[in-house]
Amino acid sequence: MQFIDLKAQQERIREGLKKSYEDILSHGRYIMGPEISKLESELGSYIGSKHTLSCSSGTDALSLALMALGVGVRDAVFTTAFSFFASAETIALLGATPVFTDIDEKTYNIDSERLRERIEKTIEEGKLTPKAIVTVSLFGLAADYDEIKKIADEFDLKIIDDSAQSFGGIYKDRKACTLGDIGCTSFFPAKPLGCYGDGGAVFTEDEELFEIMKSLRVHGKGSDKYDNVRIGLNARMDTVQAGVLLEKLKIFDDELSKKQEVAKRYGDHLSKYVEVPVVANGYKSAWAQYTIKLKGLEREELLAHLKKRGIPTAVYYVTPMPLLKAFEYLQPTAKDYPVAVNASKKVMSLPMHAYLTDDDFERIFGAFDDFYKGNNG
Ligand SMILES: *Cc1c(COP(=O)(O)O)cnc(C)c1O
């Protein structure tokens, strides 16, 4: 049993992948080959975004977005306390200060009430200029964008929608990646839509931001690559990765609907033992992770028990972002993030992909039944 079964998926699209590799070997345009613009146009129509730009990773997508918004030294960028490091790392890398906000205990996404408090406190302190909010749609589920948008408008902040984990997710008839001024996603192999290396994309309705990001992606180019008009990055996606993604897009919706069934089966069986994910009306999760929250502190024991039964698991995240060593310089205190700290002690993620079999479910549910009925053998 795999935590995310990239092998079963590969078998399904193997012929298409071979053809795509063959095409690329023939045309030899490894950088910005024709697959890149084809992918950008297909991603754009899938997401429903006016402008789409592929790039080298989800992390670089965030950097492109933050740089396009002019984020820099003495700016405050508000983000969640509970995400992968890159959501805040990219803010700090530009010399700005990530201001962390505690999360909602049901969705694990940024708590909008706490967000407002953080912004007000930052303004009151007067040391940093509030500039933007990086919302993260964690585990596949969109953040409560309408509430966040109200706050952003009130304080004149831009929103970056970090949908690295939620490509394919839906929020009130809109796709994840379209929920902010700029949407960012990742095509790291294990993400909902993954390539066979690093990859990412940015999405926006704003022509000007799009043009700036396009320039930033290639060393801040002007009319050509050797006419550099701003400090940028080398953040292009490889042609080969675009070829892989074009094949994977063909089966993406089918996989996504199978994952909805997986989530339902998990929920039906496991809700008597643990807190299962809640997907409110109007939302559709992309199920980057199926994350449960235990009622007590039995996680270590349960992880070991599942491991013994051959069931792979993972813990996202053991440490809330502000409490990571890299952010020590911000002098964070755990008491500012009680919900994230509690989640970090009790959450764990189970295998989630479109290729789980009846046998897999039987093994997983049998292991949970035995564990919670005290039969830990
Ligand atoms: C994976 C991830 C990223 C970074 O994406 P990479 O492609 O690995 O650089 C950023 N934000 C979140 C929430 C992620 O899960």
Side-chain angles (χ1 to χ4, degrees), residues 122-226:
T122 302
I123 293 172
E124 204 180 291
E125 286 171 353
K127 289 187 204 130
L128 301 168
T129 311
K131 194 87 175 215
I133 305 169
V134 174
T135 61
V136 178
S137 297
L138 205 70
F139 303 143
L141 187 73
D144 188 0
Y145 177 73
D146 284 349
E147 280 306 309
I148 294 162
K149 173 79 175 143
K150 269 189 229 156
I151 296 172
D153 287 347
E154 189 180 328
F155 295 99
D156 197 21
L157 303 173
K158 296 287 186 193
I159 301 176
I160 294 173
D161 159 20
D162 179 353
S163 280
Q165 299 186 11
S166 55
F167 185 91
I170 290 177
Y171 175 82
K172 302 184 183 174
D173 300 327
R174 298 169 65 182
K175 288 238 165 73
C177 301
T178 65
L179 305 178
D181 295 282
I182 302 174
C184 299
T185 201
S186 163
F187 302 122
F188 181 82
K191 305 281 173 166
L193 177 65
C195 54
Y196 291 159
D198 281 306
V202 290
F203 304 87
T204 186
E205 297 301 294
D206 187 315
E207 171 108 42
E208 196 186 331
L209 290 174
F210 172 68
E211 290 300 333
I212 297 173
M213 291 191 287
K214 206 166 155 182
S215 158
L216 288 167
R217 177 173 71 169
V218 187
H219 304 288
K221 76 180 171 98
S223 53
D224 72 59
K225 195 172 147 184
Y226 302 105

Side-chain angles (χ1 to χ4, degrees), residues 39-59:
L39 176 70
E40 287 172 345
S41 126
E42 289 200 13
L43 289 174
S45 51
Y46 183 81
I47 290 297
S49 157
K50 195 160 165 200
H51 302 290
T52 303
L53 202 66
S54 63
C55 66
S56 42
S57 68
T59 304

Side-chain angles (χ1 to χ4, degrees), residues 225-245:
K225 195 172 147 184
Y226 302 105
D227 168 35
N228 309 86
V229 298
R230 52 171 68 81
I231 305 298
L233 301 168
N234 173 6
R236 291 169 300 228
M237 175 184 280
D238 295 345
T239 304
V240 171
Q241 301 309 338
V244 170
L245 288 168

